[in-house]
C-alpha cells in the first residue's frame, strides 16, 4: 500500500471517529434543549393563565367597588323618591353623591346621573338632557331587565363627552327609576395589582365585544394600533389556535409572544402576552452553554483533523515530488560516497540488466560510462568520481552536472546528468540522476544556429548597407560637386553668355541626376512599407511601351547599340496603371543600355499569353551586354546590392532599381524572372495580369506643352505662400516671366489674411507650401475654404511640398486642396496644372 493511501486512510478514520462523537453530542444537546423548551412553555402557560386570572380578579374588585357605590346610591334614590323629594333636591343629592365618589376614586373617573319620574337628572348638567332619549339607551333597558342587579354596557361613544365610556346601571325602586355611572376606561383600572408582569409583558382588558378598555404595555403604539393587534389575538383565541403551550402570535414589532387569558363573569376578557425571549431566557442560557461546549469540541475536532490533514498532505506532497522526479529522470541513484556504495532507486534498462539493486559505486560508474560518448566518457568518470563528489559536498555545491551524448541502442541522444546534495539526506549521501533532454538540446542547438544565421544576415546586411552608403555618398557627391563647381564657374564667367548657358545646362543635368537618386531611395522606402497606390485606367499598351523605348533610342544610337521593340498581342487596349508599367520598363531598359558595350543589342518583346478578358501579358527585355556573375544574380533584388565586375564598378547607380521593380511587380500580382551569364548578357521576363478593355479607346491626355500653358496664364493673379526666401524668389521670377501677377505671403496665417483682404475673385490660384511657421499649409487651406465668400470654395489651391508620399497627398486632399506639386518644382508641369485648374474653375 502506498504512503499516500495509508496517510489518507488514517486521516479519514480519525475524522469519522470525531464526527460520530460530534453527532452524538449534537443529538443529545438538541433533545435536551427541546425538552427544556417544552417545559418552559408549559410553565409559561400556567403562569400566564394565573396572571390573567389574577389581573381579572383585581379588575373584578374594582368593579365591585363601583357596584357597591351604585347600590348605595340606588337605595338613597329610592328612599328620597319615596319621601316625595323633588328633582332639585334629588339633583342636589346627586351632586353631593358625586363629590363623595370623587373623593374615593379621583377626579373625572365617574359621572353619575339618574332617571327619575321619566326625567334625566345629572350631577354634571348637560344641555341635551331634556331631549335625550334615555328609554332607547342600552343601559336603561338592560337595568330594567336586570330586576335590581347591576348591569354593564360594552364600550361606546358618549353623547355628552364624545369619549369612549362604559355605563354601570341599576334599577331604583319599582317605578322605572334608574341610577347610572359613566366610567371612562382609561381610569377604570385604578387598583394596583400585587403580582407584577414578567419583563416585556403586556396586559389588556376588553369588553364582551373585544373593545380595548385598559392596556398595560411597553409597546409604542396608539390605541387604534393596539385594538387591531388585539382583534388578531382574540380571533386566534376564538379559533383555538392559541390553546397549545408552544403556540404564539407576532406582536406589532414582529416578535413572538405567548398569549394567556381569563374570561370574567361579566363577559370581560383579560389577556396577558409574554415575549418568547422572556419565556425562553433560561433556554437561551442553556443553549449558549451547549453551544460553547459544542464549539469547543468542534474546534478541537477541526484542529485535530487539520493537523492530521497537514501531516497527510505533507506525506502526499513528498510522495508526489518523488513521483515527479521519477517521471522527469529515467534513472535515480542514491550514492553513499563515504562507504562507496550505490542504491538503485530507479534504474535504466541498461543498468538493471548489468547491476544489482545495491552494490559498489565503482561498478556503477564503470557500467554507466560504457554508454557515454567516447569523447565525453573520461570527463564523466572524473566529474562523478567519489573524490570529486566529496570535494563538491565539502564546498556545499548542491547541484552539479552537465550534458552528454548517451547511446540508446544504436543511436546517441542527449542526456543531462546531475549530482544533487541536501542536508535532508542521510550524512554522506548524494543523489545522482539522469534525464533525457534530446529534444531540448536539439532545440537549443537549432536556436544557436538560428542566432548564428541571424548574426550572419545582420552582418551581411550591414556590409551591404555600408557598400550602399559608400556608393550613395559617391553618387550623390558627384552631381553635388558638379553643381557647386559649375555654379562657381558660371559666376566667374558671367560676362560670357555662351559659357554660362553651357554651365547652367550641366548644372540642370546634375541636379536632375541627384533628384533621381533621391527619388529612388524614397520610392523604395514607400514600396517596403506597402504604400503603393495603383491606378486602374484604360490605355494603349503598344503606345505606352513605344514611348518607353523611344526615350532610350537616342542614347542607344549615340552609343552604337541596337534597340528593338516587337509585339505579339491581340488586345492592345487594357485597364491598369500605365505609369507603373512604364516605371518597370524604364528600369529594365536603363540597365540593359547602361550595362552593355558598343555593338551590343537590346530587344523588347511583348506577347499576350491568354486571349481573354483577364489576360496575362509577358514583357521580355534581353541584352547581349556584360551579364551578371552567379554570386550577384541570387541577390539581384536585394536593396543596396550592385554588380562590380567587368567594368560595372564605373557605372553610376544606387542598387535600388531592381528592388523597386520587384516590389512593383509583386504588388501588381505579377512575377519577374531573370537569366544571366557573364559576358553573354541578361534576359528579364515580367508577367503581369491585365484586364483587356476591348474596343474602348483609351483616355489620351493632352500633350504637355509648356508654352501654350504658360501663355494662357498671362495676366493671372497668383498668391504664393512660401517661407523660404530662395524658393520664393525663384517662383516669383519664373511666374512673373510668364506674365502672371504674384502676391507674396511668408507663412500660412499671412496667406489667409492676404486672401481675406482681397476682393472676391481677385486671385485666380494659390500656391501653398506645406511646412511654414505660424500656420502650416493644410490649416491655411482649411481656413480659406471655411470663409463665407463666393470664391473661398472654388479658388484653386495647389500644394507645393517636398513630401511626395501618398499619405502626404491624401492630407492635402483632405484639407481641400486641388492638386499636388512636388519640390523641386517642374515649372512646365506647374504651368500645365495651373492652366488646367483655372480652366476647370471657368474663370
Amino acid at each position: 500500500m502506498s504512503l499516500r493511501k495509508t496517510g489518507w486512510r488514517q486521516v479519514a478514520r480519525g475524522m469519522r471517529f470525531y464526527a460520530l462523537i460530534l453527532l452524538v453530542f449534537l443529538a443529545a444537546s438538541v433533545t435536551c434543549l427541546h425538552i427544556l423548551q417544552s417545559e418552559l412553555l408549559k410553565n409559561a402557560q400556567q403562569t400566564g393563565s394565573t396572571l390573567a386570572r389574577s389581573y381579572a380578579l383585581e379588575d373584578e374588585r374594582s368593579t365591585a367597588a363601583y357596584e357597591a357605590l351604585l347600590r348605595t346610591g340606588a337605595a338613597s334614590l329610592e328612599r328620597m323618591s319615596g319621601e316625595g323629594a323633588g328633582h332639585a333636591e334629588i339633583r342636589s343629592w346627586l351632586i353631593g353623591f358625586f363629590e363623595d365618589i370623587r373623593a374615593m376614586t379621583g377626579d373625572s373617573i365617574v359621572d353619575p346621573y339618574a332617571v327619575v319620574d321619566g326625567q334625566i337628572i345629572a350631577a354634571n348638567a348637560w344641555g341635551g338632557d331634556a331631549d335625550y332619549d334615555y328609554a332607547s339607551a342600552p343601559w336603561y333597558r338592560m337595568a330594567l331587565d336586570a330586576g335590581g342587579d347591576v348591569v354593564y354596557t360594552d364600550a361606546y361613544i358618549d353623547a355628552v363627552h364624545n369619549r369612549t365610556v362604559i355605563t354601570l346601571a341599576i334599577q331604583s325602586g319599582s317605578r322605572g327609576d334608574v341610577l347610572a355611572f359613566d366610567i371612562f376606561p382609561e381610569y377604570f383600572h385604578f387598583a394596583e395589582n400585587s403580582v407584577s408582569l414578567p419583563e416585556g409583558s403586556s396586559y389588556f382588558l376588553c369588553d364582551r365585544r373585544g373593545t380595548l378598555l385598559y392596556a398595560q404595555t411597553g409597546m409604542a403604539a396608539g390605541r387604534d394600533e393596539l385594538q387591531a393587534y388585539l382583534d388578531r389575538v382574540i380571533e386566534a383565541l376564538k379559533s383555538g389556535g392559541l390553546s397549545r403551550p408552544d403556540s404564539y402570535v407576532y406582536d406589532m414589532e414582529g416578535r413572538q409572544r405567548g398569549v394567556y387569558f381569563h374570561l370574567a363573569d361579566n363577559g370581560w376578557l383579560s389577556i396577558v402576552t409574554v415575549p418568547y425571549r422572556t419565556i425562553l431566557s433560561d433556554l437561551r442560557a442553556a443553549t449558549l452553554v451547549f453551544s460553547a461546549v459544542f464549539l469547543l469540541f468542534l474546534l478541537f475536532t477541526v484542529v485535530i483533523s487539520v493537523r492530521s490533514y497537514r501531516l497527510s498532505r505533507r506525506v502526499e506532497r513528498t510522495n508526489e515530488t518523488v513521483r515527479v522526479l521519477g517521471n522527469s529522470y529515467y534513472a535515480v541513484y542514491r550514492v553513499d560516497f563515504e562507504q562507496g556504495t550505490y542504491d538503485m532507486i530507479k534504474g535504466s534498462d541498461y543498468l538493471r540488466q548489468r547491476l544489482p539493486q545495491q552494490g559498489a559505486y565503482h561498478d556503477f560508474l564503470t557500467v554507466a560510462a560504457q554508454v557515454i560518448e567516447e569523447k565525453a566518457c573520461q570527463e564523466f568518470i572524473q566529474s562523478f568520481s567519489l573524490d570529486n563528489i566529496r570535494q563538491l559536498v565539502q564546498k556545499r555545491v548542491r547541484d552539479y552536472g552537465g550534458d552528454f551524448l548517451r547511446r540508446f541502442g544504436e543511436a546517441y541522444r542527449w542526456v543531462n546528468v546531475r549530482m544533487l546534495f541536501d542536508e535532508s539526506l542521510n550524512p554522506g549521501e548524494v543523489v545522482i540522476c539522469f534525464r533525457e533532454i534530446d529534444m531540448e538540446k536539439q532545440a537549443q542547438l537549432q536556436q544557436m544556429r538560428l542566432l548564428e544565421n541571424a548574426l550572419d544576415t545582420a552582418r551581411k546586411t550591414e556590409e551591404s548597407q555600408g557598400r550602399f552608403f559608400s556608393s550613395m555618398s559617391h553618387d550623390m557627391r558627384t552631381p553635388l560637386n558638379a553643381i557647386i563647381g559649375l555654379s562657381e564657374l558660371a559666376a566667374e564667367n558671367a560676362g560670357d553668355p555662351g559659357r554660362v548657358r553651357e554651365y547652367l545646362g550641366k548644372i540642370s543635368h546634375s541636379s536632375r541626376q541627384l533628384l533621381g537618386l533621391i527619388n529612388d531611395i524614397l520610392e523604395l522606402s514607400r514600396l517596403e512599407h506597402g504604400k503603393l497606390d495603383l491606378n486602374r485606367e484604360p490605355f494603349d499598351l503598344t503606345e505606352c511601351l513605344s514611348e518607353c523605348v523611344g526615350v532610350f533610342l537616342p542614347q542607344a544610337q549615340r552609343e552604337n547599340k541596337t534597340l528593338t521593340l516587337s509585339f505579339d498581342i491581340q488586345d492592345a487596349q487594357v485597364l491598369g496603371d500605365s505609369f507603373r508599367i512604364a516605371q518597370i520598363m524604364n528600369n529594365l531598359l536603363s540597365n540593359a543600355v547602361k550595362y552593355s558595350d558598343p555593338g551590343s543589342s537590346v530587344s523588347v518583346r511583348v506577347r499576350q499569353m491568354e486571349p481573354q478578358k483577364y489576360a496575362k501579358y509577358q514583357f521580355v527585355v534581353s541584352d547581349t551586354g556584360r551579364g551578371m556573375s552567379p554570386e550577384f544574380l541570387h541577390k539581384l533584388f536585394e536593396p543596396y546590392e550592385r554588380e562590380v565586375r567587368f567594368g560595372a564598378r564605373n557605372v553610376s547607380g544606387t542598387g535600388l532599381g531592381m528592388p523597386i521593380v520587384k516590389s512593383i511587380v509583386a504588388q501588381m500580382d505579377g512575377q519577374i524572372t531573370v537569366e544571366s551569364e557573364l559576358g553573354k548578357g541578361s534576359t528579364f521576363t515580367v508577367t503581369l495580369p491585365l484586364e483587356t478593355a476591348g474596343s474602348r479607346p483609351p483616355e489620351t491626355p493632352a500633350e504637355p506643352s509648356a508654352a501654350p500653358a504658360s501663355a494662357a496664364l498671362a495676366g493671372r493673379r497668383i498668391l504664393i505662400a512660401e517661407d523660404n526666401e530662395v524658393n520664393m524668389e525663384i517662383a516669383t521670377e519664373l511666374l512673373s516671366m510668364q506674365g502672371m501677377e504674384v502676391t507674396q505671403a511668408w507663412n500660412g496665417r499671412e496667406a489667409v489674411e492676404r486672401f481675406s483682404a482681397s476682393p472676391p475673385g481677385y486671385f485666380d490660384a494659390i500656391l501653398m507650401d506645406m511646412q511654414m511657421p505660424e500656420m502650416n499649409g493644410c490649416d491655411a487651406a482649411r481656413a480659406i475654404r471655411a470663409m463665407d465668400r463666393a470664391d473661398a470654395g472654388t479658388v484653386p489651391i495647389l500644394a507645393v511640398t517636398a513630401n511626395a508620399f501618398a499619405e502626404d497627398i491624401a492630407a492635402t486632399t483632405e484639407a481641400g486642396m486641388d492638386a499636388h506639386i512636388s519640390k523641386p518644382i517642374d515649372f512646365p508641369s506647374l504651368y500645365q496644372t495651373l492652366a488646367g485648374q483655372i480652366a476647370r474653375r471657368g474663370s
Side-chain angles (χ1 to χ4, degrees):
M1 182 183 298
S2 69
L3 186 61
R4 180 181 182 182
K5 291 183 178 178
T6 302
W8 271 111
R9 287 191 176 183
Q10 291 176 352
V11 173
R13 190 182 302 115
M15 292 181 67
R16 284 198 297 269
F17 172 74
Y18 289 116
L20 180 61
I21 294 178
L22 278 174
L23 288 174
V24 172
F25 179 79
L26 185 60
S29 300
V30 171
T31 302
C32 291
L33 292 174
H34 180 71
I35 294 173
L36 179 59
Q37 176 176 310
S38 298
E39 292 300 319
L40 288 174
L41 290 174
K42 288 179 182 178
N43 292 337
Q45 188 178 44
Q46 294 175 359
T47 303
S49 299
T50 301
L51 278 173
R53 188 179 302 109
S54 172
Y55 270 72
L57 289 176
E58 291 292 339
D59 292 333
E60 288 177 2
R61 282 195 291 272
S62 298
T63 58
Y66 292 127
E67 289 180 7
L69 290 172
L70 195 61
R71 286 191 177 92
T72 300
S76 298
L77 179 63
E78 183 179 4
R79 179 178 55 78
M80 291 180 68
S81 297
E83 294 176 353
H87 288 177
E89 187 178 356
I90 291 174
R91 186 175 184 279
S92 177
W93 169 78
L94 273 176
I95 293 172
F97 185 55
F98 176 60
E99 293 296 329
D100 292 339
I101 293 174
R102 288 178 61 185
M104 293 177 61
T105 62
D107 293 340
S108 304
I109 294 179
V110 175
D111 184 14
Y113 52 91
V115 176
V116 179
D117 296 332
Q119 184 177 350
I120 289 183
I121 301 174
N124 297 312
W126 175 49
D129 287 347
D131 301 326
Y132 181 65
D133 183 11
Y134 66 87
S136 62
W139 55 269
Y140 183 76
R141 295 197 309 271
M142 291 171 63
L144 295 180
D145 294 340
D149 290 333
V150 177
V151 296
Y152 293 80
T153 68
D154 290 326
Y156 67 94
I157 302 300
D158 177 46
V160 178
H161 303 285
N162 196 29
R163 293 169 61 187
T164 301
V165 298
I166 298 170
T167 300
L168 279 68
I170 188 172
Q171 184 177 358
S172 176
S174 57
R175 297 182 305 172
D177 295 342
V178 173
L179 178 63
F181 290 169
D182 281 348
I183 303 176
F184 300 110
E186 58 265 32
Y187 302 119
F188 179 77
H189 192 83
F190 60 86
E192 290 294 332
N193 198 292
S194 59
V195 181
S196 61
L197 291 172
E199 181 183 0
S201 300
S202 300
Y203 170 70
F204 304 99
L205 178 64
C206 303
D207 63 14
R208 287 183 294 265
R209 293 185 304 180
T211 303
L212 177 63
L213 302 177
Y214 171 77
Q216 180 181 336
T217 179
M219 290 187 290
R223 187 177 185 85
D224 292 340
E225 293 177 313
L226 288 174
Q227 184 64 59
Y229 167 61
L230 284 174
D231 290 343
R232 290 192 290 106
V233 173
I234 294 171
E235 183 64 28
L237 288 172
K238 289 181 180 179
S239 65
L242 297 176
S243 59
R244 292 170 51 86
D246 59 350
S247 57
Y248 56 86
V249 295
Y250 287 99
D251 62 15
M252 292 174 290
E253 297 174 353
R255 294 175 296 185
Q256 293 176 313
R257 286 179 175 265
V259 179
Y260 317 103
F261 68 97
H262 177 75
L263 186 63
D265 294 338
N266 61 359
W268 288 3
L269 185 64
S270 297
I271 299 175
V272 174
T273 64
V274 183
Y276 252 49
R277 65 180 182 183
T278 302
I279 298 172
L280 302 178
S281 59
D282 294 338
L283 178 64
R284 289 203 302 273
T287 302
L288 289 175
V289 173
F290 277 118
S291 299
V293 174
F294 178 77
L295 288 175
L296 286 174
F297 194 80
L298 179 62
L299 180 61
F300 172 77
T301 303
V302 170
V303 170
I304 295 298
S305 300
V306 169
R307 184 172 177 272
S308 300
Y309 172 77
R310 286 181 175 176
L311 289 174
S312 175
R313 181 62 179 164
R314 189 174 303 163
V315 172
E316 178 189 354
R317 286 176 62 83
T318 302
N319 192 34
E320 288 176 348
T321 304
V322 173
R323 187 169 60 254
V324 169
L325 286 174
N327 292 336
S328 300
Y329 293 89
Y330 67 82
V332 180
Y333 307 90
R334 291 186 70 157
V335 176
D336 189 331
F337 57 85
E338 292 182 350
Q339 301 296 326
T341 60
Y342 73 88
D343 184 3
M344 188 184 299
I345 305 300
K346 180 182 180 182
S348 65
D349 295 340
Y350 180 82
L351 266 71
R352 281 203 310 269
Q353 296 172 4
R354 292 164 175 78
L355 291 174
Q357 188 73 23
Q358 297 174 341
Y361 181 72
H362 178 269
D363 297 338
F364 162 78
L365 197 61
T366 302
V367 175
Q370 292 175 358
V371 290
I372 300 296
E373 181 190 20
E374 184 177 355
K375 295 179 181 178
C377 179
Q378 192 60 36
E379 181 185 355
F380 170 78
I381 293 174
Q382 292 176 355
S383 297
F384 294 94
S385 65
L386 291 175
D387 290 339
N388 194 50
I389 291 175
R390 292 190 187 97
Q391 293 178 13
L392 292 171
V393 172
Q394 288 177 357
K395 296 177 182 178
R396 310 196 70 77
V397 177
R398 299 178 180 276
D399 189 346
Y400 172 80
D403 301 339
F404 302 95
L405 279 172
R406 180 194 186 277
R407 188 176 71 249
F408 290 86
E410 298 299 326
Y412 278 91
R413 295 200 294 269
W414 284 95
V415 297
N416 179 259
V417 185
R418 313 303 304 174
M419 187 281 293
L420 305 176
F421 164 73
D422 192 271
E423 287 83 354
S424 61
L425 295 170
N426 291 334
E429 287 192 354
V430 296
V431 173
I432 294 180
C433 45
F434 296 79
R435 182 167 65 95
E436 186 177 343
I437 59 166
D438 193 66
M439 293 182 64
E440 300 173 20
K441 193 69 175 181
Q442 293 297 341
Q444 182 182 359
L445 293 175
Q446 178 66 19
Q447 185 68 22
M448 290 296 296
R449 286 192 292 270
L450 289 175
L451 288 174
E452 291 174 357
N453 292 336
L455 287 173
D456 185 59
T457 301
R459 179 182 56 78
K460 291 180 179 178
T461 301
E462 184 178 2
E463 292 176 355
S464 177
Q465 288 180 342
R467 290 194 301 272
F468 161 74
F469 286 116
S470 176
S471 174
M472 183 60 65
S473 175
H474 174 269
D475 289 344
M476 293 184 72
R477 286 176 183 273
T478 298
L480 277 173
N481 183 66
I483 293 170
I484 295 172
L486 290 169
S487 298
E488 294 177 354
L489 289 174
E492 292 176 0
N493 294 275
D496 188 343
R499 285 194 174 185
V500 170
R501 281 194 297 273
E502 179 185 353
Y503 295 150
L504 291 177
K506 292 178 180 180
I507 289 173
S508 177
H509 174 76
S510 298
S511 300
R512 295 186 183 279
Q513 184 181 6
L514 180 60
L515 179 61
L517 293 173
I518 295 173
N519 286 339
D520 279 350
I521 297 172
L522 297 178
E523 182 75 0
L524 182 63
S525 174
R526 179 162 54 237
L527 291 170
E528 287 179 345
H529 289 82
K531 297 180 178 179
L532 180 66
D533 294 325
L534 295 175
N535 296 322
R536 187 174 179 275
E537 298 175 348
F539 68 96
D540 190 306
L541 187 60
T542 58
E543 290 183 5
C544 174
L545 296 181
S546 296
E547 291 177 0
C548 291
V549 173
V551 172
F552 292 94
L553 274 174
Q555 179 183 353
Q557 292 172 356
R558 287 195 308 270
E559 298 176 0
N560 192 25
K561 301 172 184 177
T562 303
L563 177 58
T564 61
L565 171 64
S566 63
F567 292 95
D568 181 13
I569 60 177
Q570 289 78 35
D571 300 290
Q573 301 297 326
V574 295
L575 296 175
D577 194 327
S578 60
F579 173 76
R580 294 301 176 183
I581 292 176
Q583 189 176 7
I584 293 170
M585 297 304 297
N586 287 339
N587 272 283
L588 295 178
L589 284 168
S590 175
N591 285 345
V593 175
K594 184 190 304 181
Y595 293 104
S596 59
D597 297 320
S600 300
S601 63
V602 179
S603 65
V604 179
R605 301 187 304 276
V606 184
R607 71 186 186 94
Q608 184 176 352
M609 301 173 66
E610 301 163 347
Q612 55 189 17
K613 181 174 179 57
Y614 296 95
K616 288 186 177 180
Y617 289 80
Q618 196 172 74
F619 309 86
V620 182
V621 179
S622 300
D623 67 77
T624 60
R626 304 166 189 173
M628 290 174 280
S629 63
E631 295 81 11
F632 176 73
L633 191 60
H634 75 275
K635 54 184 178 180
L636 169 65
F637 296 110
E638 296 179 9
Y640 322 123
E641 295 294 340
R642 296 175 63 186
E643 175 64 281
V644 294
R645 300 185 59 175
F646 282 87
R649 182 186 303 272
N650 298 322
V651 180
S652 63
T654 62
L656 301 178
M658 286 300 99
I660 291 174
V661 167
K662 184 173 178 62
S663 296
I664 296 174
V665 170
Q667 295 190 48
M668 294 179 73
D669 297 325
Q671 293 180 334
I672 182 170
T673 60
V674 59
E675 297 177 359
S676 184
E677 187 176 350
L678 278 174
K680 295 185 178 180
S682 305
T683 299
F684 288 84
T685 303
V686 176
T687 304
L688 296 176
L690 295 172
E691 180 182 353
T692 60
S695 59
R696 181 169 57 178
E699 297 178 5
T700 303
E703 285 293 327
S705 175
S710 60
L713 294 173
R716 296 294 184 177
R717 289 184 286 269
I718 309 298
L719 173 62
I720 300 179
E722 171 64 66
D723 63 321
N724 183 278
E725 293 184 8
V726 175
N727 290 341
M728 175 69 85
E729 181 180 359
I730 293 172
T732 301
E733 287 293 332
L734 290 176
L735 294 181
S736 298
M737 289 172 63
Q738 304 302 324
M740 288 174 266
E741 298 180 18
V742 176
T743 299
Q744 296 178 341
W746 294 95
N747 56 60
R749 188 176 305 282
E750 189 174 332
V752 174
E753 293 172 353
R754 292 277 193 276
F755 183 82
S756 178
S758 68
Y762 179 80
F763 288 112
D764 295 292
I766 301 174
L767 299 182
M768 187 75 72
D769 186 32
M770 291 294 98
Q771 302 296 330
M772 293 184 293
E774 301 270 344
M775 181 184 290
N776 63 41
C778 287
D779 290 341
R782 292 190 187 94
I784 291 173
R785 292 301 188 207
M787 290 182 182
D788 186 16
R789 50 188 284 174
D791 59 342
T794 59
V795 61
I797 303 178
L798 278 66
V800 182
T801 177
N803 299 330
F805 292 119
E807 58 268 27
D808 303 311
I809 298 174
T812 61
T813 304
E814 188 273 335
M817 301 192 194
D818 300 283
H820 187 280
I821 302 297
S822 299
K823 290 182 179 180
I825 299 174
D826 183 345
F827 280 92
S829 177
L830 171 62
Y831 301 151
Q832 185 70 31
T833 304
L834 273 174
Q837 291 294 330
I838 294 174
R840 179 182 59 80
R841 192 183 67 165
S843 57

